Amino acid sequence: MYERRDVWTLSDEHPWHPTLEWYARAVDELRARPASDPAGWEYLAAIHGRKPGAWPPGATWNQCRHGSWFFLPWHRVYLHYFETVVRQAVRQLGGPDDWTVPYWDYSDARQPNARRLPPAFREPHLPGGKPNPLFAAQRDPRMNAGEELGRGAVDVGPALKPRNFELGAGRPGFGGARPPAEHGEGSLENVPHGAVHMGVAGPRDGWMGRFATAGLDPVFWLHHANIDRLWEVWRGMEGHDDPADAAWRDARFTLGHGPGAVSLTTREVLDVSRPPLGYRYSSVAPPEGRFAVRLDTKPLPRRRTRGGGERVVPAEMVGASDAAVPLGAAPSEVQFAVESRGARVFKSFRVDDAGEPEVFLKVENVRGLELAAGGYVLYLNLPAGSGPDDHPERRAGEISLFGVREASAAGGEHGGSGLTFTLDVTEVARLLRGAGDWSPDRLRVTFVPVQRGPRDEVVDGDARVGRVSVFQA
Ligand SMILES: [Cu+2]
């Protein structure tokens, strides 16, 4: 059994722990291979999202699945393919035969450096003076200088909270929406996944910020190992189950070409301890401290379908904005009524009422090709004249714009309809209600750009939200 360990645990043992040292040597070796080699560095990154000019027949490029419930199983197969290639290279170079990709747990409350890149990824040169293969200049320079990711980027609480894997019908979901009928990012794909991509990439278009180049950064794979691990964490929590649908379980993912190609279905990778995967994580304990998850074990209301199966009862839309909202370099806001079905909506909404509704905020069709920020923090009903920092309790969630450019190009591989998110805002709504500040005839949503430290450049870009709507269940 291979064990994937936390990179900061390894780094604390030694900044150049053998796992990292051999990773660096293997990266060097893989980079020397031609782009057409399915075991080469460029090919590995291109599987995720690039279409090079000349490409061998049968090659698999630009395959990555985002914004749907295939995000997790596809990336699990991708990471397995990558790990097999690196393990083989390490063996060929005379290293151990059980090399395993580490994971980067940036949310670990017990690790004071969790939100920083480990030293082996920040040093431009190896101890001997040669260039360090794990270093990438194409990152936010602050990350390479040892600064921390923003706290919001690594908040796994909202990611792990949804009881449903499938997102849809107005409800949030852990794993994403079922295509093609619905589209939308699961809570994990949004934050921390997308937010860490954008945080490492920085404002000047680092590798991690685009599908086409993300896999070129050696830290990409440690980030995705953590995302894969968080799937195991979520599944281990009470009341959390993977979808039973054949459409999800029998989906097949084929990566690479030639003798080393991998072709696996979701079903075949659900138990990571079994071949061909055969790995475990050194920890799959739910997060503690700041990011502890308040678990909601109430079963979701279900309804029988005609086919004899069961479906989660959809949430009801109770209000929506009627104009697009720009996402620029300064905060923007939108206001709309949330009583489409008359006064009964939210009337029964009382503090400590066991039967009180859940409230979800859907942010639809976020599009843009030039971005002022990598993400936005949403606030509900910020009082006039006060800033977001004065009201952390009104923070409703964060959306990451990772992938928005790819999803905005009309006719592109990833469609032109943009990104869609569904956030659980039940607790903020309850708090506002308790404070007497929830009026059914107006809900104000403020979008505040995610900003680390001083503002680098003031560009407004062209990003915008198509529509904001509120659901109640
Ligand atoms: Cu990713």
Side-chain angles (χ1 to χ4, degrees):
M1 180 87 70
Y2 300 105
E3 188 180 48
R4 293 185 179 174
R5 298 181 62 199
D6 172 49
V7 68
W8 267 109
T9 308
L10 304 180
S11 300
D12 284 345
E13 283 172 26
H14 194 284
W16 282 102
H17 185 280
T19 298
L20 298 172
E21 193 188 337
W22 282 108
Y23 183 32
R25 290 191 199 182
V27 171
D28 222 15
E29 160 68 20
L30 266 47
R31 283 209 175 111
R33 297 175 180 172
S36 59
D37 183 343
W41 192 253
E42 219 179 307
Y43 190 114
L44 283 165
I47 290 176
H48 190 261
R50 199 161 76 92
K51 185 182 176 181
W55 206 239
T60 46
W61 43 261
N62 207 6
Q63 299 277 310
C64 69
R65 310 293 296 259
H66 291 90
S68 88
W69 68 354
F70 296 122
F71 167 73
L72 285 167
W74 186 87
H75 281 84
R76 174 166 287 177
V77 176
Y78 185 38
L79 205 59
H80 164 63
Y81 179 86
F82 162 83
E83 191 174 56
T84 308
V85 166
V86 176
R87 185 176 295 146
Q88 246 154 27
V90 168
R91 262 181 217 152
Q92 282 162 10
L93 292 165
D97 57 10
D98 63 347
W99 186 87
T100 309
V101 66
Y103 64 89
W104 178 18
D105 183 4
Y106 23 70
S107 315
D108 184 353
R110 296 155 307 174
Q111 168 53 259
N113 290 312
R115 289 187 283 134
R116 305 178 205 280
L117 278 176
F121 291 82
R122 317 197 287 249
E123 295 299 330
H125 296 95
L126 294 173
K130 283 196 196 155
N132 174 9
L134 303 186
F135 174 80
Q138 296 83 351
R139 287 182 192 138
D140 191 322
R142 292 170 292 195
M143 291 305 297
N144 280 336
E147 289 185 33
E148 298 182 299
L149 287 166
R151 269 187 220 288
V154 302
D155 183 357
V156 287
L160 294 171
K161 192 163 180 263
R163 285 167 287 165
N164 228 20
F165 186 97
E166 180 183 347
L167 169 148
R171 291 176 180 275
F174 175 72
R178 173 200 306 244
E182 289 241 23
H183 84 171
E185 285 191 9
S187 53
L188 179 66
E189 185 179 346
N190 176 31
V191 176
H193 168 255
V196 169
H197 265 282
M198 297 309 261
V200 173
R204 272 179 287 276
D205 219 11
W207 276 340
M208 282 281 275
R210 302 247 187 190
F211 292 174
T213 52
L216 294 173
D217 189 330
V219 87
F220 166 87
W221 308 93
L222 283 74
H223 173 35
H224 265 277
N226 192 48
I227 295 301
D228 186 69
R229 187 185 69 90
L230 288 167
W231 183 8
E232 296 297 292
V233 173
W234 179 82
R235 203 207 322 244
M237 296 164 82
E238 194 187 336
H240 292 175
D241 296 302
D242 290 329
D245 312 59
W248 184 75
R249 294 195 167 233
D250 294 333
R252 179 173 289 282
F253 311 107
T254 303
L255 306 185
H257 74 285
V262 161
S263 184
L264 292 165
T265 62
T266 302
R267 196 185 292 277
E268 291 169 316
V269 298
L270 288 181
D271 182 350
V272 298
S273 70
R274 291 182 47 190
L277 303 185
Y279 65 82
R280 65 164 172 247
Y281 287 102
S282 57
S283 169
V284 289
E288 293 167 24
R290 172 186 294 277
F291 299 122
V293 183
R294 202 184 305 164
L295 205 60
D296 184 355
T297 52
K298 234 178 4 201
L300 286 164
R302 286 172 194 276
R303 171 192 291 168
R304 291 207 167 280
T305 61
R306 259 187 291 168
E310 279 191 333
R311 268 291 174 87
V312 173
V313 176
E316 182 188 15
M317 191 171 90
V318 294
S321 66
D322 54 10
V325 191
L327 297 178
S332 51
E333 61 178 42
V334 62
Q335 186 169 310
F336 52 93
V338 283
E339 51 170 0
S340 59
R341 299 283 171 92
R344 86 178 175 79
V345 173
F346 293 115
K347 249 215 170 124
S348 62
F349 200 108
R350 290 193 306 272
V351 187
D352 299 324
D353 181 347
E356 72 187 16
E358 294 176 283
V359 186
F360 309 123
L361 197 69
K362 189 171 178 183
V363 182
E364 288 169 80
N365 305 118
V366 182
R367 274 180 263 205
L369 295 171
E370 199 192 339
L371 312 181
Y376 289 81
V377 183
L378 280 65
Y379 291 85
L380 299 187
N381 289 355
L382 273 185
S386 71
D389 293 341
D390 306 327
H391 291 283
E393 79 286 359
R394 296 185 180 216
R395 186 184 189 279
E398 180 169 332
I399 57 169
S400 163
L401 299 196
F402 177 61
V404 75
R405 291 169 288 206
E406 290 86 343
S408 300
E413 301 284 333
H414 305 275
S417 52
L419 305 180
T420 292
F421 309 88
T422 304
L423 308 173
D424 185 338
V425 299
T426 305
E427 280 176 40
V428 186
R430 178 186 296 148
L431 188 135
L432 293 177
R433 181 78 184 172
D437 193 18
W438 183 281
S439 160
D441 39 63
R442 53 161 186 83
L443 174 68
R444 195 167 55 251
V445 184
T446 307
F447 294 81
V448 180
V450 170
Q451 186 64 41
R452 266 183 26 229
R455 192 166 288 286
D456 315 85
E457 51 198 292
V458 183
V459 285
D460 260 329
D462 61 357
R464 54 184 50 232
V465 176
R467 186 170 86 148
V468 182
S469 49
V470 175
F471 287 75
Q472 177 191 307

